[in-house]
Amino acid sequence: MQLEHTANGIDVLHGRQHFTTYVHGTGLPKVILYPFLTPGGAALTRPLHAGPGVDKDHPHHRGVWTAHGAVDGVDFWEEYKPDHGRIIHKEIRRCTSGDIGRLDTTLAWVDATGLTRLLEERTMRFFPLAFDGGSAYAMELEFTLRGHAGRAIVFGDTKEGGLVAARVNPSINATGAGIIYNSEGLSTGPSAKEPEATWGKAARWVAYAGPAGNRAGGAATQATLAILHLPPSFAHPTRWHVRGYGLFAANPFALSYFENKIPGASHDPAKSGAYTLPAGEALHWRCVVIAADGRPSAPQLDAWHGQFAAPAKQQ
């Protein structure tokens, strides 16, 4: 995989085929990875700008990202209030091409006053995959979060968050022809109706699959976006805020919402998924995000999970 510097980030290429871009120089409130493309060129994340067939809802849902809506009371998820937080790219510690491309970065989670609440050290490894019936690109995402200056940090109980999150392309969401399926044998869609069977459930992996109608040439073949949560990792296996309309988020903190079963319901104050990160300690997260041509079977995703749950790929 080739990693190439651009004016606004780092392009990740396989040969000359674009996989994704680490976008950090556009002034967005968050660092994102966009687009997220299969080897055949199918776009698996929603276009950044509204257009025909693209919903205008949740404009803060961009590409693939990490954020949470309650970090010591600061909202790093939504962007409607003037006091929302920002996740800022600080430096590139390593950027190397090879059979496995690697990008190491440092990010700061900064509140509206300019105070850094969290420091994030991130490693991304990029590599191709093959499976029976298709091919894929993969990103292994590993990061640690630490309170700045040794502070203890409270991650609040809210459904508005994702330690890894994506907004999927309308062609693969579960309100139309797509389907959500997970490691526990649950599925949502096509033409999902609430309550959604996969919402709020703990699972080792979740996938969205559907027609890749925006592939170069227009062929409506299948494409899949899958996220595998790997041990050792915080709250493994995580719960998932996965909605038929296309939000795909790993959220281990929203117990009071998920226990109510119905997406969008008021939370139950008797339950809480809030977590306090002790002073001087780190929250460690590890997952693999897969962009596949075709639809990997549950046994294939199980096999990948077992393969990648071993120590991280070194390169």
mmCIF file of all heavy atoms in Angstrom, residues 140-184:
data_model
loop_
_atom_site.group_PDB
_atom_site.id
_atom_site.type_symbol
_atom_site.label_atom_id
_atom_site.label_comp_id
_atom_site.label_asym_id
_atom_site.label_seq_id
_atom_site.Cartn_x
_atom_site.Cartn_y
_atom_site.Cartn_z
ATOM 1 N N GLU A 140 -6.504 -1.527 9.881
ATOM 2 C CA GLU A 140 -6.444 -1.831 11.309
ATOM 3 C C GLU A 140 -6.237 -0.516 12.042
ATOM 4 O O GLU A 140 -5.260 0.205 11.793
ATOM 5 C CB GLU A 140 -5.303 -2.797 11.616
ATOM 6 C CG GLU A 140 -5.257 -3.175 13.093
ATOM 7 C CD GLU A 140 -4.149 -4.171 13.409
ATOM 8 O OE1 GLU A 140 -3.350 -4.496 12.512
ATOM 9 O OE2 GLU A 140 -4.089 -4.622 14.563
ATOM 10 N N LEU A 141 -7.167 -0.191 12.913
ATOM 11 C CA LEU A 141 -7.153 1.064 13.662
ATOM 12 C C LEU A 141 -6.884 0.743 15.125
ATOM 13 O O LEU A 141 -7.637 -0.009 15.755
ATOM 14 C CB LEU A 141 -8.495 1.777 13.515
ATOM 15 C CG LEU A 141 -8.738 3.002 14.404
ATOM 16 C CD1 LEU A 141 -7.761 4.125 14.060
ATOM 17 C CD2 LEU A 141 -10.177 3.482 14.270
ATOM 18 N N GLU A 142 -5.810 1.309 15.661
ATOM 19 C CA GLU A 142 -5.445 1.080 17.058
ATOM 20 C C GLU A 142 -5.105 2.433 17.670
ATOM 21 O O GLU A 142 -4.356 3.222 17.079
ATOM 22 C CB GLU A 142 -4.246 0.142 17.130
ATOM 23 C CG GLU A 142 -3.862 -0.292 18.527
ATOM 24 C CD GLU A 142 -2.829 -1.415 18.527
ATOM 25 O OE1 GLU A 142 -2.244 -1.694 17.460
ATOM 26 O OE2 GLU A 142 -2.620 -2.000 19.598
ATOM 27 N N PHE A 143 -5.687 2.735 18.838
ATOM 28 C CA PHE A 143 -5.359 4.006 19.464
ATOM 29 C C PHE A 143 -5.462 3.910 20.974
ATOM 30 O O PHE A 143 -6.093 3.006 21.528
ATOM 31 C CB PHE A 143 -6.231 5.152 18.933
ATOM 32 C CG PHE A 143 -7.711 5.026 19.180
ATOM 33 C CD1 PHE A 143 -8.264 5.316 20.416
ATOM 34 C CD2 PHE A 143 -8.572 4.645 18.151
ATOM 35 C CE1 PHE A 143 -9.625 5.222 20.633
ATOM 36 C CE2 PHE A 143 -9.936 4.553 18.354
ATOM 37 C CZ PHE A 143 -10.462 4.836 19.603
ATOM 38 N N THR A 144 -4.807 4.865 21.639
ATOM 39 C CA THR A 144 -4.949 5.048 23.072
ATOM 40 C C THR A 144 -5.447 6.464 23.324
ATOM 41 O O THR A 144 -5.080 7.414 22.613
ATOM 42 C CB THR A 144 -3.627 4.832 23.826
ATOM 43 O OG1 THR A 144 -2.637 5.726 23.308
ATOM 44 C CG2 THR A 144 -3.160 3.396 23.686
ATOM 45 N N LEU A 145 -6.300 6.607 24.331
ATOM 46 C CA LEU A 145 -6.786 7.898 24.787
ATOM 47 C C LEU A 145 -6.332 8.089 26.232
ATOM 48 O O LEU A 145 -6.520 7.211 27.076
ATOM 49 C CB LEU A 145 -8.311 7.962 24.719
ATOM 50 C CG LEU A 145 -8.955 7.835 23.338
ATOM 51 C CD1 LEU A 145 -10.468 7.732 23.469
ATOM 52 C CD2 LEU A 145 -8.572 9.013 22.445
ATOM 53 N N ARG A 146 -5.745 9.250 26.501
ATOM 54 C CA ARG A 146 -5.276 9.576 27.848
ATOM 55 C C ARG A 146 -5.735 10.983 28.215
ATOM 56 O O ARG A 146 -5.720 11.892 27.376
ATOM 57 C CB ARG A 146 -3.745 9.539 27.938
ATOM 58 C CG ARG A 146 -3.137 8.163 27.833
ATOM 59 C CD ARG A 146 -1.618 8.223 27.966
ATOM 60 N NE ARG A 146 -1.028 6.896 28.063
ATOM 61 C CZ ARG A 146 -0.696 6.149 27.018
ATOM 62 N NH1 ARG A 146 -0.902 6.607 25.796
ATOM 63 N NH2 ARG A 146 -0.163 4.953 27.206
ATOM 64 N N GLY A 147 -6.118 11.166 29.462
ATOM 65 C CA GLY A 147 -6.440 12.508 29.920
ATOM 66 C C GLY A 147 -5.211 13.396 29.873
ATOM 67 O O GLY A 147 -4.122 12.996 30.295
ATOM 68 N N HIS A 148 -5.380 14.604 29.326
ATOM 69 C CA HIS A 148 -4.251 15.528 29.210
ATOM 70 C C HIS A 148 -3.760 15.924 30.594
ATOM 71 O O HIS A 148 -4.543 16.141 31.527
ATOM 72 C CB HIS A 148 -4.691 16.776 28.439
ATOM 73 C CG HIS A 148 -3.604 17.767 28.228
ATOM 74 N ND1 HIS A 148 -2.396 17.448 27.652
ATOM 75 C CD2 HIS A 148 -3.541 19.099 28.508
ATOM 76 C CE1 HIS A 148 -1.635 18.520 27.580
ATOM 77 N NE2 HIS A 148 -2.314 19.536 28.092
ATOM 78 N N ALA A 149 -2.447 15.984 30.745
ATOM 79 C CA ALA A 149 -1.804 16.374 32.001
ATOM 80 C C ALA A 149 -2.207 15.453 33.145
ATOM 81 O O ALA A 149 -2.306 15.874 34.302
ATOM 82 C CB ALA A 149 -2.125 17.830 32.337
ATOM 83 N N GLY A 150 -2.449 14.173 32.808
ATOM 84 C CA GLY A 150 -2.732 13.183 33.837
ATOM 85 C C GLY A 150 -4.113 13.260 34.447
ATOM 86 O O GLY A 150 -4.365 12.666 35.505
ATOM 87 N N ARG A 151 -5.046 13.953 33.794
ATOM 88 C CA ARG A 151 -6.396 14.106 34.334
ATOM 89 C C ARG A 151 -7.194 12.817 34.250
ATOM 90 O O ARG A 151 -7.047 12.042 33.301
ATOM 91 C CB ARG A 151 -7.163 15.177 33.552
ATOM 92 C CG ARG A 151 -6.612 16.576 33.644
ATOM 93 C CD ARG A 151 -7.232 17.447 32.566
ATOM 94 N NE ARG A 151 -8.699 17.387 32.599
ATOM 95 C CZ ARG A 151 -9.468 18.332 33.117
ATOM 96 N NH1 ARG A 151 -8.916 19.401 33.660
ATOM 97 N NH2 ARG A 151 -10.770 18.228 33.091
ATOM 98 N N ALA A 152 -8.066 12.572 35.226
ATOM 99 C CA ALA A 152 -9.111 11.558 35.084
ATOM 100 C C ALA A 152 -10.175 12.112 34.142
ATOM 101 O O ALA A 152 -10.442 13.312 34.126
ATOM 102 C CB ALA A 152 -9.729 11.230 36.435
ATOM 103 N N ILE A 153 -10.774 11.248 33.329
ATOM 104 C CA ILE A 153 -11.744 11.663 32.322
ATOM 105 C C ILE A 153 -12.997 10.805 32.442
ATOM 106 O O ILE A 153 -12.905 9.573 32.538
ATOM 107 C CB ILE A 153 -11.163 11.521 30.899
ATOM 108 C CG1 ILE A 153 -9.948 12.422 30.708
ATOM 109 C CG2 ILE A 153 -12.226 11.809 29.843
ATOM 110 C CD1 ILE A 153 -10.244 13.906 30.666
ATOM 111 N N VAL A 154 -14.164 11.447 32.387
ATOM 112 C CA VAL A 154 -15.432 10.719 32.422
ATOM 113 C C VAL A 154 -16.030 10.673 31.017
ATOM 114 O O VAL A 154 -16.292 11.722 30.407
ATOM 115 C CB VAL A 154 -16.428 11.377 33.386
ATOM 116 C CG1 VAL A 154 -17.778 10.651 33.336
ATOM 117 C CG2 VAL A 154 -15.879 11.396 34.804
ATOM 118 N N PHE A 155 -16.230 9.454 30.513
ATOM 119 C CA PHE A 155 -16.971 9.235 29.272
ATOM 120 C C PHE A 155 -18.420 8.991 29.673
ATOM 121 O O PHE A 155 -18.750 7.980 30.291
ATOM 122 C CB PHE A 155 -16.414 8.037 28.509
ATOM 123 C CG PHE A 155 -15.022 8.245 27.960
ATOM 124 C CD1 PHE A 155 -13.909 8.024 28.754
ATOM 125 C CD2 PHE A 155 -14.839 8.679 26.655
ATOM 126 C CE1 PHE A 155 -12.634 8.220 28.256
ATOM 127 C CE2 PHE A 155 -13.565 8.882 26.145
ATOM 128 C CZ PHE A 155 -12.451 8.652 26.949
ATOM 129 N N GLY A 156 -19.298 9.933 29.324
ATOM 130 C CA GLY A 156 -20.675 9.862 29.773
ATOM 131 C C GLY A 156 -21.516 8.883 28.980
ATOM 132 O O GLY A 156 -21.178 8.481 27.863
ATOM 133 N N ASP A 157 -22.629 8.495 29.579
ATOM 134 C CA ASP A 157 -23.592 7.591 28.948
ATOM 135 C C ASP A 157 -24.439 8.382 27.966
ATOM 136 O O ASP A 157 -25.309 9.157 28.357
ATOM 137 C CB ASP A 157 -24.461 6.949 30.029
ATOM 138 C CG ASP A 157 -25.463 5.945 29.483
ATOM 139 O OD1 ASP A 157 -26.091 6.218 28.450
ATOM 140 O OD2 ASP A 157 -25.620 4.876 30.101
ATOM 141 N N THR A 158 -24.136 8.230 26.683
ATOM 142 C CA THR A 158 -24.937 8.830 25.617
ATOM 143 C C THR A 158 -24.831 7.952 24.382
ATOM 144 O O THR A 158 -23.773 7.359 24.130
ATOM 145 C CB THR A 158 -24.486 10.255 25.269
ATOM 146 O OG1 THR A 158 -25.213 10.715 24.120
ATOM 147 C CG2 THR A 158 -22.992 10.333 24.968
ATOM 148 N N LYS A 159 -25.919 7.869 23.632
ATOM 149 C CA LYS A 159 -25.875 7.107 22.385
ATOM 150 C C LYS A 159 -25.167 7.872 21.277
ATOM 151 O O LYS A 159 -24.850 7.308 20.225
ATOM 152 C CB LYS A 159 -27.275 6.711 21.936
ATOM 153 C CG LYS A 159 -28.198 7.856 21.607
ATOM 154 C CD LYS A 159 -29.592 7.349 21.265
ATOM 155 C CE LYS A 159 -30.566 8.489 21.007
ATOM 156 N NZ LYS A 159 -30.212 9.316 19.845
ATOM 157 N N GLU A 160 -24.884 9.154 21.497
ATOM 158 C CA GLU A 160 -24.244 9.978 20.478
ATOM 159 C C GLU A 160 -22.726 9.820 20.576
ATOM 160 O O GLU A 160 -22.038 10.641 21.199
ATOM 161 C CB GLU A 160 -24.655 11.435 20.636
ATOM 162 C CG GLU A 160 -26.150 11.670 20.639
ATOM 163 C CD GLU A 160 -26.849 11.136 19.393
ATOM 164 O OE1 GLU A 160 -26.220 11.128 18.322
ATOM 165 O OE2 GLU A 160 -28.008 10.722 19.499
ATOM 166 N N GLY A 161 -22.223 8.773 19.977
ATOM 167 C CA GLY A 161 -20.789 8.555 20.019
ATOM 168 C C GLY A 161 -20.392 7.267 19.345
ATOM 169 O O GLY A 161 -21.217 6.379 19.106
ATOM 170 N N GLY A 162 -19.094 7.165 19.038
ATOM 171 C CA GLY A 162 -18.562 5.941 18.460
ATOM 172 C C GLY A 162 -17.045 5.959 18.539
ATOM 173 O O GLY A 162 -16.409 6.871 17.991
ATOM 174 N N LEU A 163 -16.449 4.997 19.250
ATOM 175 C CA LEU A 163 -14.991 4.920 19.268
ATOM 176 C C LEU A 163 -14.461 4.584 17.885
ATOM 177 O O LEU A 163 -13.306 4.874 17.579
ATOM 178 C CB LEU A 163 -14.531 3.918 20.313
ATOM 179 C CG LEU A 163 -14.757 4.392 21.760
ATOM 180 C CD1 LEU A 163 -14.225 3.358 22.754
ATOM 181 C CD2 LEU A 163 -14.112 5.747 22.013
ATOM 182 N N VAL A 164 -15.280 3.961 17.064
ATOM 183 C CA VAL A 164 -15.104 4.013 15.617
ATOM 184 C C VAL A 164 -16.506 4.143 15.048
ATOM 185 O O VAL A 164 -17.452 3.533 15.552
ATOM 186 C CB VAL A 164 -14.367 2.784 15.056
ATOM 187 C CG1 VAL A 164 -15.129 1.495 15.320
ATOM 188 C CG2 VAL A 164 -14.088 2.938 13.561
ATOM 189 N N ALA A 165 -16.658 4.995 14.029
ATOM 190 C CA ALA A 165 -17.988 5.243 13.468
ATOM 191 C C ALA A 165 -17.867 5.496 11.978
ATOM 192 O O ALA A 165 -16.820 5.916 11.480
ATOM 193 C CB ALA A 165 -18.650 6.448 14.152
ATOM 194 N N ALA A 166 -18.964 5.233 11.264
ATOM 195 C CA ALA A 166 -19.049 5.509 9.835
ATOM 196 C C ALA A 166 -20.488 5.857 9.504
ATOM 197 O O ALA A 166 -21.421 5.438 10.197
ATOM 198 C CB ALA A 166 -18.600 4.305 9.005
ATOM 199 N N ARG A 167 -20.681 6.635 8.450
ATOM 200 C CA ARG A 167 -22.018 6.823 7.873
ATOM 201 C C ARG A 167 -21.977 6.168 6.503
ATOM 202 O O ARG A 167 -21.281 6.626 5.592
ATOM 203 C CB ARG A 167 -22.373 8.302 7.750
ATOM 204 C CG ARG A 167 -23.759 8.545 7.102
ATOM 205 C CD ARG A 167 -24.896 7.945 7.941
ATOM 206 N NE ARG A 167 -26.171 8.088 7.257
ATOM 207 C CZ ARG A 167 -27.022 9.095 7.470
ATOM 208 N NH1 ARG A 167 -26.712 10.049 8.329
ATOM 209 N NH2 ARG A 167 -28.165 9.136 6.816
ATOM 210 N N VAL A 168 -22.730 5.068 6.364
ATOM 211 C CA VAL A 168 -22.604 4.264 5.159
ATOM 212 C C VAL A 168 -23.351 4.901 3.990
ATOM 213 O O VAL A 168 -24.289 5.687 4.156
ATOM 214 C CB VAL A 168 -23.083 2.813 5.375
ATOM 215 C CG1 VAL A 168 -22.366 2.171 6.550
ATOM 216 C CG2 VAL A 168 -24.588 2.724 5.542
ATOM 217 N N ASN A 169 -22.912 4.545 2.805
ATOM 218 C CA ASN A 169 -23.550 5.001 1.587
ATOM 219 C C ASN A 169 -25.005 4.528 1.558
ATOM 220 O O ASN A 169 -25.302 3.401 1.968
ATOM 221 C CB ASN A 169 -22.795 4.442 0.380
ATOM 222 C CG ASN A 169 -23.163 5.160 -0.902
ATOM 223 O OD1 ASN A 169 -24.294 5.082 -1.363
ATOM 224 N ND2 ASN A 169 -22.199 5.842 -1.483
ATOM 225 N N PRO A 170 -25.953 5.359 1.092
ATOM 226 C CA PRO A 170 -27.349 4.924 1.044
ATOM 227 C C PRO A 170 -27.563 3.612 0.301
ATOM 228 O O PRO A 170 -28.518 2.884 0.590
ATOM 229 C CB PRO A 170 -28.052 6.082 0.342
ATOM 230 C CG PRO A 170 -27.227 7.282 0.668
ATOM 231 C CD PRO A 170 -25.811 6.781 0.704
ATOM 232 N N SER A 171 -26.678 3.269 -0.639
ATOM 233 C CA SER A 171 -26.873 2.033 -1.400
ATOM 234 C C SER A 171 -26.762 0.788 -0.544
ATOM 235 O O SER A 171 -27.276 -0.269 -0.920
ATOM 236 C CB SER A 171 -25.856 1.956 -2.551
ATOM 237 O OG SER A 171 -24.542 1.794 -2.071
ATOM 238 N N ILE A 172 -26.079 0.868 0.621
ATOM 239 C CA ILE A 172 -25.932 -0.331 1.451
ATOM 240 C C ILE A 172 -26.632 -0.208 2.797
ATOM 241 O O ILE A 172 -26.501 -1.099 3.638
ATOM 242 C CB ILE A 172 -24.446 -0.710 1.664
ATOM 243 C CG1 ILE A 172 -23.692 0.338 2.475
ATOM 244 C CG2 ILE A 172 -23.761 -0.963 0.329
ATOM 245 C CD1 ILE A 172 -22.308 -0.129 2.945
ATOM 246 N N ASN A 173 -27.374 0.892 3.039
ATOM 247 C CA ASN A 173 -28.044 0.948 4.333
ATOM 248 C C ASN A 173 -29.262 0.015 4.336
ATOM 249 O O ASN A 173 -29.663 -0.517 3.304
ATOM 250 C CB ASN A 173 -28.382 2.387 4.745
ATOM 251 C CG ASN A 173 -29.541 2.994 3.982
ATOM 252 O OD1 ASN A 173 -30.444 2.305 3.527
ATOM 253 N ND2 ASN A 173 -29.513 4.321 3.829
ATOM 254 N N ALA A 174 -29.820 -0.199 5.521
ATOM 255 C CA ALA A 174 -30.833 -1.242 5.672
ATOM 256 C C ALA A 174 -32.256 -0.723 5.556
ATOM 257 O O ALA A 174 -33.200 -1.463 5.838
ATOM 258 C CB ALA A 174 -30.648 -1.942 7.018
ATOM 259 N N THR A 175 -32.440 0.535 5.140
ATOM 260 C CA THR A 175 -33.793 1.007 4.875
ATOM 261 C C THR A 175 -34.206 0.726 3.439
ATOM 262 O O THR A 175 -35.370 0.887 3.081
ATOM 263 C CB THR A 175 -33.924 2.516 5.155
ATOM 264 O OG1 THR A 175 -33.024 3.220 4.297
ATOM 265 C CG2 THR A 175 -33.597 2.830 6.595
ATOM 266 N N GLY A 176 -33.238 0.341 2.618
ATOM 267 C CA GLY A 176 -33.529 -0.002 1.230
ATOM 268 C C GLY A 176 -33.190 -1.448 0.962
ATOM 269 O O GLY A 176 -33.781 -2.359 1.544
ATOM 270 N N ALA A 177 -32.200 -1.678 0.098
ATOM 271 C CA ALA A 177 -31.858 -3.037 -0.307
ATOM 272 C C ALA A 177 -30.724 -3.638 0.509
ATOM 273 O O ALA A 177 -30.321 -4.776 0.271
ATOM 274 C CB ALA A 177 -31.481 -3.051 -1.790
ATOM 275 N N GLY A 178 -30.171 -2.878 1.473
ATOM 276 C CA GLY A 178 -29.052 -3.378 2.251
ATOM 277 C C GLY A 178 -29.483 -4.163 3.474
ATOM 278 O O GLY A 178 -30.666 -4.260 3.811
ATOM 279 N N ILE A 179 -28.476 -4.719 4.166
ATOM 280 C CA ILE A 179 -28.721 -5.516 5.364
ATOM 281 C C ILE A 179 -27.593 -5.278 6.349
ATOM 282 O O ILE A 179 -26.446 -5.047 5.960
ATOM 283 C CB ILE A 179 -28.827 -7.020 5.023
ATOM 284 C CG1 ILE A 179 -29.250 -7.840 6.251
ATOM 285 C CG2 ILE A 179 -27.520 -7.556 4.436
ATOM 286 C CD1 ILE A 179 -29.586 -9.287 5.928
ATOM 287 N N ILE A 180 -27.923 -5.269 7.647
ATOM 288 C CA ILE A 180 -26.936 -5.274 8.728
ATOM 289 C C ILE A 180 -26.923 -6.681 9.310
ATOM 290 O O ILE A 180 -27.987 -7.247 9.588
ATOM 291 C CB ILE A 180 -27.310 -4.278 9.835
ATOM 292 C CG1 ILE A 180 -27.573 -2.890 9.261
ATOM 293 C CG2 ILE A 180 -26.231 -4.230 10.905
ATOM 294 C CD1 ILE A 180 -28.210 -1.927 10.274
ATOM 295 N N TYR A 181 -25.742 -7.259 9.504
ATOM 296 C CA TYR A 181 -25.654 -8.575 10.140
ATOM 297 C C TYR A 181 -24.460 -8.598 11.067
ATOM 298 O O TYR A 181 -23.494 -7.856 10.880
ATOM 299 C CB TYR A 181 -25.609 -9.703 9.113
ATOM 300 C CG TYR A 181 -24.481 -9.683 8.102
ATOM 301 C CD1 TYR A 181 -23.465 -10.641 8.139
ATOM 302 C CD2 TYR A 181 -24.441 -8.742 7.071
ATOM 303 C CE1 TYR A 181 -22.447 -10.650 7.190
ATOM 304 C CE2 TYR A 181 -23.443 -8.746 6.119
ATOM 305 C CZ TYR A 181 -22.435 -9.698 6.184
ATOM 306 O OH TYR A 181 -21.427 -9.693 5.241
ATOM 307 N N ASN A 182 -24.550 -9.428 12.135
ATOM 308 C CA ASN A 182 -23.481 -9.408 13.126
ATOM 309 C C ASN A 182 -23.039 -10.801 13.550
ATOM 310 O O ASN A 182 -23.596 -11.818 13.104
ATOM 311 C CB ASN A 182 -23.882 -8.546 14.336
ATOM 312 C CG ASN A 182 -24.943 -9.171 15.224
ATOM 313 O OD1 ASN A 182 -25.242 -10.357 15.133
ATOM 314 N ND2 ASN A 182 -25.513 -8.363 16.105
ATOM 315 N N SER A 183 -22.027 -10.835 14.413
ATOM 316 C CA SER A 183 -21.410 -12.094 14.831
ATOM 317 C C SER A 183 -22.329 -12.957 15.672
ATOM 318 O O SER A 183 -22.059 -14.143 15.865
ATOM 319 C CB SER A 183 -20.135 -11.803 15.629
ATOM 320 O OG SER A 183 -20.425 -11.059 16.806
ATOM 321 N N GLU A 184 -23.421 -12.389 16.168
ATOM 322 C CA GLU A 184 -24.352 -13.137 17.022
ATOM 323 C C GLU A 184 -25.520 -13.712 16.236
ATOM 324 O O GLU A 184 -26.479 -14.220 16.820
ATOM 325 C CB GLU A 184 -24.869 -12.234 18.144
ATOM 326 C CG GLU A 184 -23.758 -11.528 18.910
ATOM 327 C CD GLU A 184 -22.631 -12.472 19.304
ATOM 328 O OE1 GLU A 184 -22.887 -13.393 20.109
ATOM 329 O OE2 GLU A 184 -21.486 -12.298 18.825
#
